[in-house]
Amino acid sequence: QKEVEQNSGPLSVPEGAIASLNCTYSDRVSQSFFWYRQYSGKSPELIMSIYSNGDKEDGRFTAQLNKASQYVSLLIRDSQPSDSATYLCAVNRMDSSYKLIFGSGTRLLVRP
Amino acid sequence: DADVTQTPRNRITKTGKRIMLECSQTKGHDRMYWYRQDPGLGLQLIYYSFDVKDINKGEISDGYSVSRQAQAKFSLSLESAIPNQTALYFCATSVGDNYGYTFGSGTRLTVV
């Protein structure tokens, strides 16, 4: 089992719809959760962080965390073609030192 | 200027050659990381450093070495490049635990 799992997609949604991206993780003691957006050939860009159970909203983005289910999600409201990218979920691993483990990403395609 | 600068942006090298990828940052972060990204595999940690005197191996350090020349500079070397080291390489920085990473723009390395 991978430490951080994401469906590779592509997830295709029409413009204006809500895109829902999901991520599960295996380490129960993880404390920090991040969503990155990566355009093709570009570097990952941090868009959301979440540390507590529940929802966190920032503009059109909402991150949701459920530690009991080891599940974190990202909702994108009013999806735009410019949101088309790969979204990476990252979770901290708490072994000898703090580091982030990344999922392989979900590719989102927003259709005009 | 970018906060995290990687050089070169693109490099083609031959099998068996030694190559160095460089990373410098102006963010003042102590923590620096090297990741490689392969299609469908996400980001894999090669090496990381929490200060100038602290160097740690990541998941896939075989065939790589690093040097932390200063707080702001962290270099990755491939001692004898092989074709399966063809990948996109990213340097990242972080201010500490529970913070996300800031990525450089990446180096696309091709080993022929």
Side-chain angles (χ1 to χ4, degrees), chain A residues 31-32 34 36 38 42-44 51 88 93 97-100 102-104, chain B residues 31 35 37 40 42-43 45 48 50 59 90 97-101 103-104:
Chain A
Q31 300 172 351
S32 309
F34 304 91
Y36 285 81
Q38 186 177 24
K42 303 297 184 182
S43 59
Y51 306 99
L88 304 174
R93 178 198 285 168
S97 58
Y98 178 95
K99 58 181 78 73
L100 293 184
F102 288 82
S104 56
Chain B
R31 302 184 181 193
Y35 283 87
Q37 188 174 41
L43 290 158
L45 182 62
Y48 62 102
F50 282 8
E59 305 162 288
F90 288 106
D97 285 359
N98 296 325
Y99 289 87
Y101 296 171
F103 284 86

PDB file of all heavy atoms in Angstrom, chain A residues 31-32 34 36 38 42-44 51 88 93 97-100 102-104, chain B residues 31 35 37 40 42-43 45 48 50 59 90 97-101 103-104:
ATOM      1  N   GLN A  31       0.166  14.718  10.769  1.00  0.00           N
ATOM      2  CA  GLN A  31      -0.446  15.904  11.362  1.00  0.00           C
ATOM      3  C   GLN A  31      -0.657  17.038  10.362  1.00  0.00           C
ATOM      4  O   GLN A  31      -1.443  17.943  10.621  1.00  0.00           O
ATOM      5  CB  GLN A  31       0.437  16.425  12.492  1.00  0.00           C
ATOM      6  CG  GLN A  31       0.647  15.430  13.611  1.00  0.00           C
ATOM      7  CD  GLN A  31       1.679  15.929  14.608  1.00  0.00           C
ATOM      8  OE1 GLN A  31       2.342  16.930  14.383  1.00  0.00           O
ATOM      9  NE2 GLN A  31       1.804  15.222  15.714  1.00  0.00           N
ATOM     10  N   SER A  32       0.069  16.992   9.250  1.00  0.00           N
ATOM     11  CA  SER A  32       0.043  18.112   8.309  1.00  0.00           C
ATOM     12  C   SER A  32      -0.309  17.592   6.929  1.00  0.00           C
ATOM     13  O   SER A  32       0.251  16.588   6.479  1.00  0.00           O
ATOM     14  CB  SER A  32       1.406  18.805   8.247  1.00  0.00           C
ATOM     15  OG  SER A  32       1.858  19.129   9.529  1.00  0.00           O
ATOM     16  N   PHE A  34      -1.320  18.787   2.785  1.00  0.00           N
ATOM     17  CA  PHE A  34      -1.159  19.870   1.829  1.00  0.00           C
ATOM     18  C   PHE A  34      -1.688  19.450   0.474  1.00  0.00           C
ATOM     19  O   PHE A  34      -1.610  18.282   0.086  1.00  0.00           O
ATOM     20  CB  PHE A  34       0.330  20.242   1.692  1.00  0.00           C
ATOM     21  CG  PHE A  34       0.985  20.606   2.995  1.00  0.00           C
ATOM     22  CD1 PHE A  34       1.604  19.636   3.764  1.00  0.00           C
ATOM     23  CD2 PHE A  34       0.987  21.913   3.450  1.00  0.00           C
ATOM     24  CE1 PHE A  34       2.206  19.952   4.964  1.00  0.00           C
ATOM     25  CE2 PHE A  34       1.582  22.240   4.651  1.00  0.00           C
ATOM     26  CZ  PHE A  34       2.191  21.261   5.417  1.00  0.00           C
ATOM     27  N   TYR A  36      -1.099  20.584  -3.537  1.00  0.00           N
ATOM     28  CA  TYR A  36      -0.304  21.342  -4.493  1.00  0.00           C
ATOM     29  C   TYR A  36      -0.944  21.216  -5.873  1.00  0.00           C
ATOM     30  O   TYR A  36      -1.499  20.184  -6.233  1.00  0.00           O
ATOM     31  CB  TYR A  36       1.124  20.781  -4.574  1.00  0.00           C
ATOM     32  CG  TYR A  36       1.997  21.120  -3.401  1.00  0.00           C
ATOM     33  CD1 TYR A  36       1.921  20.389  -2.226  1.00  0.00           C
ATOM     34  CD2 TYR A  36       2.919  22.164  -3.474  1.00  0.00           C
ATOM     35  CE1 TYR A  36       2.731  20.696  -1.138  1.00  0.00           C
ATOM     36  CE2 TYR A  36       3.729  22.474  -2.396  1.00  0.00           C
ATOM     37  CZ  TYR A  36       3.629  21.738  -1.238  1.00  0.00           C
ATOM     38  OH  TYR A  36       4.429  22.055  -0.165  1.00  0.00           O
ATOM     39  N   GLN A  38       0.025  21.447  -9.927  1.00  0.00           N
ATOM     40  CA  GLN A  38       1.184  21.392 -10.824  1.00  0.00           C
ATOM     41  C   GLN A  38       0.723  21.405 -12.266  1.00  0.00           C
ATOM     42  O   GLN A  38       0.057  20.474 -12.730  1.00  0.00           O
ATOM     43  CB  GLN A  38       2.033  20.137 -10.550  1.00  0.00           C
ATOM     44  CG  GLN A  38       3.317  20.104 -11.353  1.00  0.00           C
ATOM     45  CD  GLN A  38       4.186  18.908 -11.026  1.00  0.00           C
ATOM     46  OE1 GLN A  38       3.714  17.884 -10.551  1.00  0.00           O
ATOM     47  NE2 GLN A  38       5.489  19.043 -11.272  1.00  0.00           N
ATOM     48  N   LYS A  42       5.783  22.215 -15.070  1.00  0.00           N
ATOM     49  CA  LYS A  42       6.085  23.273 -14.099  1.00  0.00           C
ATOM     50  C   LYS A  42       6.274  22.676 -12.714  1.00  0.00           C
ATOM     51  O   LYS A  42       6.074  21.497 -12.493  1.00  0.00           O
ATOM     52  CB  LYS A  42       4.959  24.304 -14.080  1.00  0.00           C
ATOM     53  CG  LYS A  42       4.676  24.944 -15.426  1.00  0.00           C
ATOM     54  CD  LYS A  42       5.868  25.727 -15.936  1.00  0.00           C
ATOM     55  CE  LYS A  42       5.528  26.447 -17.226  1.00  0.00           C
ATOM     56  NZ  LYS A  42       6.710  27.197 -17.761  1.00  0.00           N
ATOM     57  N   SER A  43       6.657  23.525 -11.774  1.00  0.00           N
ATOM     58  CA  SER A  43       6.876  23.051 -10.407  1.00  0.00           C
ATOM     59  C   SER A  43       5.575  23.064  -9.609  1.00  0.00           C
ATOM     60  O   SER A  43       4.654  23.815  -9.911  1.00  0.00           O
ATOM     61  CB  SER A  43       7.929  23.923  -9.723  1.00  0.00           C
ATOM     62  OG  SER A  43       7.515  25.262  -9.691  1.00  0.00           O
ATOM     63  N   PRO A  44       5.481  22.227  -8.590  1.00  0.00           N
ATOM     64  CA  PRO A  44       4.288  22.227  -7.734  1.00  0.00           C
ATOM     65  C   PRO A  44       4.147  23.554  -6.985  1.00  0.00           C
ATOM     66  O   PRO A  44       5.133  24.125  -6.524  1.00  0.00           O
ATOM     67  CB  PRO A  44       4.560  21.068  -6.766  1.00  0.00           C
ATOM     68  CG  PRO A  44       5.579  20.217  -7.449  1.00  0.00           C
ATOM     69  CD  PRO A  44       6.429  21.160  -8.221  1.00  0.00           C
ATOM     70  N   TYR A  51      -4.733  21.107   8.969  1.00  0.00           N
ATOM     71  CA  TYR A  51      -4.111  20.397  10.080  1.00  0.00           C
ATOM     72  C   TYR A  51      -5.139  19.770  11.030  1.00  0.00           C
ATOM     73  O   TYR A  51      -4.813  18.854  11.784  1.00  0.00           O
ATOM     74  CB  TYR A  51      -3.228  21.356  10.892  1.00  0.00           C
ATOM     75  CG  TYR A  51      -2.215  22.083  10.054  1.00  0.00           C
ATOM     76  CD1 TYR A  51      -2.448  23.384   9.617  1.00  0.00           C
ATOM     77  CD2 TYR A  51      -1.032  21.469   9.674  1.00  0.00           C
ATOM     78  CE1 TYR A  51      -1.522  24.047   8.825  1.00  0.00           C
ATOM     79  CE2 TYR A  51      -0.100  22.135   8.888  1.00  0.00           C
ATOM     80  CZ  TYR A  51      -0.346  23.422   8.472  1.00  0.00           C
ATOM     81  OH  TYR A  51       0.569  24.078   7.696  1.00  0.00           O
ATOM     82  N   LEU A  88      -1.526  17.431  -6.449  1.00  0.00           N
ATOM     83  CA  LEU A  88      -0.748  16.523  -5.602  1.00  0.00           C
ATOM     84  C   LEU A  88      -1.154  16.683  -4.146  1.00  0.00           C
ATOM     85  O   LEU A  88      -1.230  17.798  -3.633  1.00  0.00           O
ATOM     86  CB  LEU A  88       0.748  16.832  -5.724  1.00  0.00           C
ATOM     87  CG  LEU A  88       1.360  16.802  -7.119  1.00  0.00           C
ATOM     88  CD1 LEU A  88       2.806  17.280  -7.068  1.00  0.00           C
ATOM     89  CD2 LEU A  88       1.285  15.411  -7.707  1.00  0.00           C
ATOM     90  N   ARG A  93       5.344  12.699   7.141  1.00  0.00           N
ATOM     91  CA  ARG A  93       5.707  11.427   7.764  1.00  0.00           C
ATOM     92  C   ARG A  93       6.477  11.759   9.020  1.00  0.00           C
ATOM     93  O   ARG A  93       7.449  12.523   8.971  1.00  0.00           O
ATOM     94  CB  ARG A  93       6.574  10.589   6.838  1.00  0.00           C
ATOM     95  CG  ARG A  93       7.033   9.266   7.472  1.00  0.00           C
ATOM     96  CD  ARG A  93       8.207   8.701   6.719  1.00  0.00           C
ATOM     97  NE  ARG A  93       7.815   8.112   5.454  1.00  0.00           N
ATOM     98  CZ  ARG A  93       8.710   7.770   4.513  1.00  0.00           C
ATOM     99  NH1 ARG A  93       9.995   7.976   4.709  1.00  0.00           N
ATOM    100  NH2 ARG A  93       8.300   7.222   3.387  1.00  0.00           N
ATOM    101  N   SER A  97      12.472  12.349  11.424  1.00  0.00           N
ATOM    102  CA  SER A  97      12.413  13.782  11.159  1.00  0.00           C
ATOM    103  C   SER A  97      11.203  14.072  10.286  1.00  0.00           C
ATOM    104  O   SER A  97      10.655  13.183   9.648  1.00  0.00           O
ATOM    105  CB  SER A  97      13.689  14.266  10.463  1.00  0.00           C
ATOM    106  OG  SER A  97      13.876  13.570   9.249  1.00  0.00           O
ATOM    107  N   TYR A  98      10.827  15.311  10.281  1.00  0.00           N
ATOM    108  CA  TYR A  98       9.629  15.711   9.545  1.00  0.00           C
ATOM    109  C   TYR A  98       9.935  15.826   8.057  1.00  0.00           C
ATOM    110  O   TYR A  98      10.881  16.484   7.653  1.00  0.00           O
ATOM    111  CB  TYR A  98       9.180  17.064  10.087  1.00  0.00           C
ATOM    112  CG  TYR A  98       7.983  17.647   9.395  1.00  0.00           C
ATOM    113  CD1 TYR A  98       6.703  17.453   9.897  1.00  0.00           C
ATOM    114  CD2 TYR A  98       8.118  18.405   8.239  1.00  0.00           C
ATOM    115  CE1 TYR A  98       5.599  17.998   9.268  1.00  0.00           C
ATOM    116  CE2 TYR A  98       7.022  18.955   7.618  1.00  0.00           C
ATOM    117  CZ  TYR A  98       5.762  18.745   8.127  1.00  0.00           C
ATOM    118  OH  TYR A  98       4.674  19.286   7.505  1.00  0.00           O
ATOM    119  N   LYS A  99       9.127  15.157   7.229  1.00  0.00           N
ATOM    120  CA  LYS A  99       9.256  15.304   5.792  1.00  0.00           C
ATOM    121  C   LYS A  99       7.904  15.024   5.156  1.00  0.00           C
ATOM    122  O   LYS A  99       7.045  14.384   5.746  1.00  0.00           O
ATOM    123  CB  LYS A  99      10.321  14.352   5.237  1.00  0.00           C
ATOM    124  CG  LYS A  99      10.037  12.891   5.531  1.00  0.00           C
ATOM    125  CD  LYS A  99      11.126  11.971   4.994  1.00  0.00           C
ATOM    126  CE  LYS A  99      12.343  11.955   5.865  1.00  0.00           C
ATOM    127  NZ  LYS A  99      12.137  11.210   7.122  1.00  0.00           N
ATOM    128  N   LEU A 100       7.723  15.529   3.940  1.00  0.00           N
ATOM    129  CA  LEU A 100       6.461  15.323   3.235  1.00  0.00           C
ATOM    130  C   LEU A 100       6.563  14.151   2.266  1.00  0.00           C
ATOM    131  O   LEU A 100       7.574  13.993   1.576  1.00  0.00           O
ATOM    132  CB  LEU A 100       6.067  16.577   2.467  1.00  0.00           C
ATOM    133  CG  LEU A 100       5.706  17.806   3.293  1.00  0.00           C
ATOM    134  CD1 LEU A 100       5.242  18.936   2.375  1.00  0.00           C
ATOM    135  CD2 LEU A 100       4.631  17.482   4.320  1.00  0.00           C
ATOM    136  N   PHE A 102       4.504  12.561  -0.974  1.00  0.00           N
ATOM    137  CA  PHE A 102       3.564  13.019  -1.982  1.00  0.00           C
ATOM    138  C   PHE A 102       2.850  11.854  -2.646  1.00  0.00           C
ATOM    139  O   PHE A 102       3.448  10.808  -2.911  1.00  0.00           O
ATOM    140  CB  PHE A 102       4.307  13.813  -3.063  1.00  0.00           C
ATOM    141  CG  PHE A 102       4.773  15.161  -2.610  1.00  0.00           C
ATOM    142  CD1 PHE A 102       5.947  15.299  -1.888  1.00  0.00           C
ATOM    143  CD2 PHE A 102       4.033  16.298  -2.898  1.00  0.00           C
ATOM    144  CE1 PHE A 102       6.379  16.542  -1.460  1.00  0.00           C
ATOM    145  CE2 PHE A 102       4.455  17.547  -2.473  1.00  0.00           C
ATOM    146  CZ  PHE A 102       5.630  17.667  -1.749  1.00  0.00           C
ATOM    147  N   GLY A 103       1.562  12.061  -2.923  1.00  0.00           N
ATOM    148  CA  GLY A 103       0.859  11.155  -3.802  1.00  0.00           C
ATOM    149  C   GLY A 103       1.287  11.380  -5.239  1.00  0.00           C
ATOM    150  O   GLY A 103       1.975  12.365  -5.548  1.00  0.00           O
ATOM    151  N   SER A 104       0.878  10.486  -6.109  1.00  0.00           N
ATOM    152  CA  SER A 104       1.277  10.590  -7.514  1.00  0.00           C
ATOM    153  C   SER A 104       0.428  11.584  -8.297  1.00  0.00           C
ATOM    154  O   SER A 104       0.728  11.878  -9.446  1.00  0.00           O
ATOM    155  CB  SER A 104       1.253   9.224  -8.185  1.00  0.00           C
ATOM    156  OG  SER A 104      -0.018   8.646  -8.047  1.00  0.00           O
TER     157      SER A 104
ATOM    158  N   ARG B  31      15.732  24.400   5.860  1.00  0.00           N
ATOM    159  CA  ARG B  31      15.516  23.060   5.328  1.00  0.00           C
ATOM    160  C   ARG B  31      15.473  23.083   3.802  1.00  0.00           C
ATOM    161  O   ARG B  31      14.765  23.888   3.206  1.00  0.00           O
ATOM    162  CB  ARG B  31      14.218  22.472   5.880  1.00  0.00           C
ATOM    163  CG  ARG B  31      14.214  22.412   7.401  1.00  0.00           C
ATOM    164  CD  ARG B  31      12.987  21.761   7.932  1.00  0.00           C
ATOM    165  NE  ARG B  31      13.015  21.743   9.403  1.00  0.00           N
ATOM    166  CZ  ARG B  31      12.200  21.017  10.135  1.00  0.00           C
ATOM    167  NH1 ARG B  31      11.288  20.240   9.559  1.00  0.00           N
ATOM    168  NH2 ARG B  31      12.283  21.040  11.454  1.00  0.00           N
ATOM    169  N   TYR B  35      14.031  16.331  -4.785  1.00  0.00           N
ATOM    170  CA  TYR B  35      13.082  15.318  -5.231  1.00  0.00           C
ATOM    171  C   TYR B  35      13.288  15.043  -6.710  1.00  0.00           C
ATOM    172  O   TYR B  35      13.736  15.909  -7.453  1.00  0.00           O
ATOM    173  CB  TYR B  35      11.640  15.811  -5.058  1.00  0.00           C
ATOM    174  CG  TYR B  35      11.103  15.770  -3.645  1.00  0.00           C
ATOM    175  CD1 TYR B  35      11.311  16.834  -2.771  1.00  0.00           C
ATOM    176  CD2 TYR B  35      10.359  14.686  -3.199  1.00  0.00           C
ATOM    177  CE1 TYR B  35      10.805  16.794  -1.478  1.00  0.00           C
ATOM    178  CE2 TYR B  35       9.845  14.648  -1.905  1.00  0.00           C
ATOM    179  CZ  TYR B  35      10.079  15.698  -1.064  1.00  0.00           C
ATOM    180  OH  TYR B  35       9.567  15.660   0.218  1.00  0.00           O
ATOM    181  N   GLN B  37      10.945  13.524 -10.057  1.00  0.00           N
ATOM    182  CA  GLN B  37       9.582  13.230 -10.470  1.00  0.00           C
ATOM    183  C   GLN B  37       9.612  12.465 -11.782  1.00  0.00           C
ATOM    184  O   GLN B  37      10.181  12.944 -12.755  1.00  0.00           O
ATOM    185  CB  GLN B  37       8.757  14.506 -10.615  1.00  0.00           C
ATOM    186  CG  GLN B  37       7.276  14.250 -10.861  1.00  0.00           C
ATOM    187  CD  GLN B  37       6.464  15.531 -10.844  1.00  0.00           C
ATOM    188  OE1 GLN B  37       6.885  16.559 -11.376  1.00  0.00           O
ATOM    189  NE2 GLN B  37       5.277  15.485 -10.237  1.00  0.00           N
ATOM    190  N   GLY B  40       3.744   9.447 -13.504  1.00  0.00           N
ATOM    191  CA  GLY B  40       2.942   8.448 -12.816  1.00  0.00           C
ATOM    192  C   GLY B  40       3.479   8.013 -11.460  1.00  0.00           C
ATOM    193  O   GLY B  40       2.815   7.249 -10.764  1.00  0.00           O
ATOM    194  N   GLY B  42       4.869  10.314  -9.086  1.00  0.00           N
ATOM    195  CA  GLY B  42       4.886  11.372  -8.097  1.00  0.00           C
ATOM    196  C   GLY B  42       6.295  11.820  -7.766  1.00  0.00           C
ATOM    197  O   GLY B  42       7.259  11.535  -8.471  1.00  0.00           O
ATOM    198  N   LEU B  43       6.432  12.501  -6.650  1.00  0.00           N
ATOM    199  CA  LEU B  43       7.705  13.051  -6.204  1.00  0.00           C
ATOM    200  C   LEU B  43       8.356  12.093  -5.217  1.00  0.00           C
ATOM    201  O   LEU B  43       7.743  11.698  -4.232  1.00  0.00           O
ATOM    202  CB  LEU B  43       7.478  14.409  -5.535  1.00  0.00           C
ATOM    203  CG  LEU B  43       7.073  15.537  -6.462  1.00  0.00           C
ATOM    204  CD1 LEU B  43       6.374  16.648  -5.700  1.00  0.00           C
ATOM    205  CD2 LEU B  43       8.297  16.091  -7.181  1.00  0.00           C
ATOM    206  N   LEU B  45      11.669  11.467  -2.689  1.00  0.00           N
ATOM    207  CA  LEU B  45      12.699  12.196  -1.963  1.00  0.00           C
ATOM    208  C   LEU B  45      14.065  11.543  -2.146  1.00  0.00           C
ATOM    209  O   LEU B  45      14.229  10.348  -1.893  1.00  0.00           O
ATOM    210  CB  LEU B  45      12.318  12.255  -0.480  1.00  0.00           C
ATOM    211  CG  LEU B  45      13.242  13.016   0.452  1.00  0.00           C
ATOM    212  CD1 LEU B  45      13.328  14.496   0.056  1.00  0.00           C
ATOM    213  CD2 LEU B  45      12.766  12.879   1.888  1.00  0.00           C
ATOM    214  N   TYR B  48      17.762  15.210   1.879  1.00  0.00           N
ATOM    215  CA  TYR B  48      17.295  16.424   2.519  1.00  0.00           C
ATOM    216  C   TYR B  48      18.296  16.882   3.567  1.00  0.00           C
ATOM    217  O   TYR B  48      19.099  16.087   4.068  1.00  0.00           O
ATOM    218  CB  TYR B  48      15.889  16.257   3.106  1.00  0.00           C
ATOM    219  CG  TYR B  48      15.748  15.209   4.188  1.00  0.00           C
ATOM    220  CD1 TYR B  48      15.675  15.574   5.524  1.00  0.00           C
ATOM    221  CD2 TYR B  48      15.633  13.857   3.858  1.00  0.00           C
ATOM    222  CE1 TYR B  48      15.510  14.622   6.505  1.00  0.00           C
ATOM    223  CE2 TYR B  48      15.468  12.897   4.835  1.00  0.00           C
ATOM    224  CZ  TYR B  48      15.406  13.279   6.167  1.00  0.00           C
ATOM    225  OH  TYR B  48      15.246  12.325   7.147  1.00  0.00           O
ATOM    226  N   PHE B  50      18.616  19.708   6.985  1.00  0.00           N
ATOM    227  CA  PHE B  50      17.934  20.638   7.885  1.00  0.00           C
ATOM    228  C   PHE B  50      18.842  21.791   8.310  1.00  0.00           C
ATOM    229  O   PHE B  50      18.376  22.762   8.886  1.00  0.00           O
ATOM    230  CB  PHE B  50      17.382  19.908   9.103  1.00  0.00           C
ATOM    231  CG  PHE B  50      16.112  19.151   8.832  1.00  0.00           C
ATOM    232  CD1 PHE B  50      15.615  19.011   7.555  1.00  0.00           C
ATOM    233  CD2 PHE B  50      15.406  18.567   9.870  1.00  0.00           C
ATOM    234  CE1 PHE B  50      14.446  18.310   7.291  1.00  0.00           C
ATOM    235  CE2 PHE B  50      14.228  17.863   9.630  1.00  0.00           C
ATOM    236  CZ  PHE B  50      13.746  17.730   8.339  1.00  0.00           C
ATOM    237  N   GLU B  59      14.339   8.405   0.129  1.00  0.00           N
ATOM    238  CA  GLU B  59      13.891   7.084  -0.318  1.00  0.00           C
ATOM    239  C   GLU B  59      14.758   6.480  -1.419  1.00  0.00           C
ATOM    240  O   GLU B  59      14.872   5.257  -1.527  1.00  0.00           O
ATOM    241  CB  GLU B  59      12.460   7.186  -0.840  1.00  0.00           C
ATOM    242  CG  GLU B  59      11.461   7.782   0.128  1.00  0.00           C
ATOM    243  CD  GLU B  59      10.224   8.242  -0.610  1.00  0.00           C
ATOM    244  OE1 GLU B  59      10.283   9.267  -1.336  1.00  0.00           O
ATOM    245  OE2 GLU B  59       9.195   7.560  -0.481  1.00  0.00           O
ATOM    246  N   PHE B  90      13.488  18.400  -8.709  1.00  0.00           N
ATOM    247  CA  PHE B  90      13.061  19.610  -8.020  1.00  0.00           C
ATOM    248  C   PHE B  90      13.811  19.784  -6.707  1.00  0.00           C
ATOM    249  O   PHE B  90      13.982  18.829  -5.941  1.00  0.00           O
ATOM    250  CB  PHE B  90      11.559  19.558  -7.698  1.00  0.00           C
ATOM    251  CG  PHE B  90      10.672  19.721  -8.886  1.00  0.00           C
ATOM    252  CD1 PHE B  90       9.988  18.634  -9.406  1.00  0.00           C
ATOM    253  CD2 PHE B  90      10.506  20.965  -9.487  1.00  0.00           C
ATOM    254  CE1 PHE B  90       9.158  18.779 -10.501  1.00  0.00           C
ATOM    255  CE2 PHE B  90       9.683  21.122 -10.581  1.00  0.00           C
ATOM    256  CZ  PHE B  90       9.006  20.020 -11.095  1.00  0.00           C
ATOM    257  N   ASP B  97       8.821  22.318  10.664  1.00  0.00           N
ATOM    258  CA  ASP B  97       7.749  21.336  10.801  1.00  0.00           C
ATOM    259  C   ASP B  97       6.393  21.995  10.563  1.00  0.00           C
ATOM    260  O   ASP B  97       6.171  23.141  10.939  1.00  0.00           O
ATOM    261  CB  ASP B  97       7.749  20.724  12.207  1.00  0.00           C
ATOM    262  CG  ASP B  97       8.866  19.722  12.412  1.00  0.00           C
ATOM    263  OD1 ASP B  97       9.638  19.484  11.466  1.00  0.00           O
ATOM    264  OD2 ASP B  97       8.956  19.192  13.529  1.00  0.00           O
ATOM    265  N   ASN B  98       5.493  21.214   9.950  1.00  0.00           N
ATOM    266  CA  ASN B  98       4.112  21.628   9.710  1.00  0.00           C
ATOM    267  C   ASN B  98       3.965  22.765   8.698  1.00  0.00           C
ATOM    268  O   ASN B  98       2.893  23.340   8.570  1.00  0.00           O
ATOM    269  CB  ASN B  98       3.404  22.014  11.014  1.00  0.00           C
ATOM    270  CG  ASN B  98       3.283  20.828  11.957  1.00  0.00           C
ATOM    271  OD1 ASN B  98       3.093  19.696  11.523  1.00  0.00           O
ATOM    272  ND2 ASN B  98       3.419  21.081  13.243  1.00  0.00           N
ATOM    273  N   TYR B  99       5.033  23.041   7.972  1.00  0.00           N
ATOM    274  CA  TYR B  99       4.948  24.012   6.895  1.00  0.00           C
ATOM    275  C   TYR B  99       5.116  23.313   5.559  1.00  0.00           C
ATOM    276  O   TYR B  99       5.810  22.306   5.439  1.00  0.00           O
ATOM    277  CB  TYR B  99       6.020  25.088   7.035  1.00  0.00           C
ATOM    278  CG  TYR B  99       5.760  26.032   8.179  1.00  0.00           C
ATOM    279  CD1 TYR B  99       6.196  25.737   9.460  1.00  0.00           C
ATOM    280  CD2 TYR B  99       5.057  27.216   7.979  1.00  0.00           C
ATOM    281  CE1 TYR B  99       5.950  26.589  10.509  1.00  0.00           C
ATOM    282  CE2 TYR B  99       4.810  28.085   9.030  1.00  0.00           C
ATOM    283  CZ  TYR B  99       5.254  27.762  10.296  1.00  0.00           C
ATOM    284  OH  TYR B  99       5.007  28.596  11.333  1.00  0.00           O
ATOM    285  N   GLY B 100       4.479  23.846   4.535  1.00  0.00           N
ATOM    286  CA  GLY B 100       4.644  23.294   3.206  1.00  0.00           C
ATOM    287  C   GLY B 100       5.990  23.661   2.617  1.00  0.00           C
ATOM    288  O   GLY B 100       6.779  24.385   3.216  1.00  0.00           O
ATOM    289  N   TYR B 101       6.244  23.139   1.447  1.00  0.00           N
ATOM    290  CA  TYR B 101       7.496  23.402   0.759  1.00  0.00           C
ATOM    291  C   TYR B 101       7.289  24.454  -0.332  1.00  0.00           C
ATOM    292  O   TYR B 101       6.217  24.545  -0.929  1.00  0.00           O
ATOM    293  CB  TYR B 101       8.005  22.141   0.053  1.00  0.00           C
ATOM    294  CG  TYR B 101       8.371  20.979   0.934  1.00  0.00           C
ATOM    295  CD1 TYR B 101       8.655  19.746   0.354  1.00  0.00           C
ATOM    296  CD2 TYR B 101       8.430  21.065   2.319  1.00  0.00           C
ATOM    297  CE1 TYR B 101       9.005  18.645   1.114  1.00  0.00           C
ATOM    298  CE2 TYR B 101       8.776  19.967   3.093  1.00  0.00           C
ATOM    299  CZ  TYR B 101       9.055  18.752   2.479  1.00  0.00           C
ATOM    300  OH  TYR B 101       9.395  17.659   3.234  1.00  0.00           O
ATOM    301  N   PHE B 103       8.912  25.135  -3.993  1.00  0.00           N
ATOM    302  CA  PHE B 103       9.697  24.417  -4.986  1.00  0.00           C
ATOM    303  C   PHE B 103      10.402  25.367  -5.941  1.00  0.00           C
ATOM    304  O   PHE B 103       9.893  26.445  -6.267  1.00  0.00           O
ATOM    305  CB  PHE B 103       8.800  23.488  -5.811  1.00  0.00           C
ATOM    306  CG  PHE B 103       8.395  22.238  -5.076  1.00  0.00           C
ATOM    307  CD1 PHE B 103       7.287  22.231  -4.249  1.00  0.00           C
ATOM    308  CD2 PHE B 103       9.133  21.077  -5.216  1.00  0.00           C
ATOM    309  CE1 PHE B 103       6.913  21.084  -3.575  1.00  0.00           C
ATOM    310  CE2 PHE B 103       8.770  19.922  -4.546  1.00  0.00           C
ATOM    311  CZ  PHE B 103       7.663  19.930  -3.718  1.00  0.00           C
ATOM    312  N   GLY B 104      11.582  24.918  -6.415  1.00  0.00           N
ATOM    313  CA  GLY B 104      12.226  25.582  -7.529  1.00  0.00           C
ATOM    314  C   GLY B 104      11.539  25.207  -8.824  1.00  0.00           C
ATOM    315  O   GLY B 104      10.615  24.386  -8.846  1.00  0.00           O
TER     316      GLY B 104
END
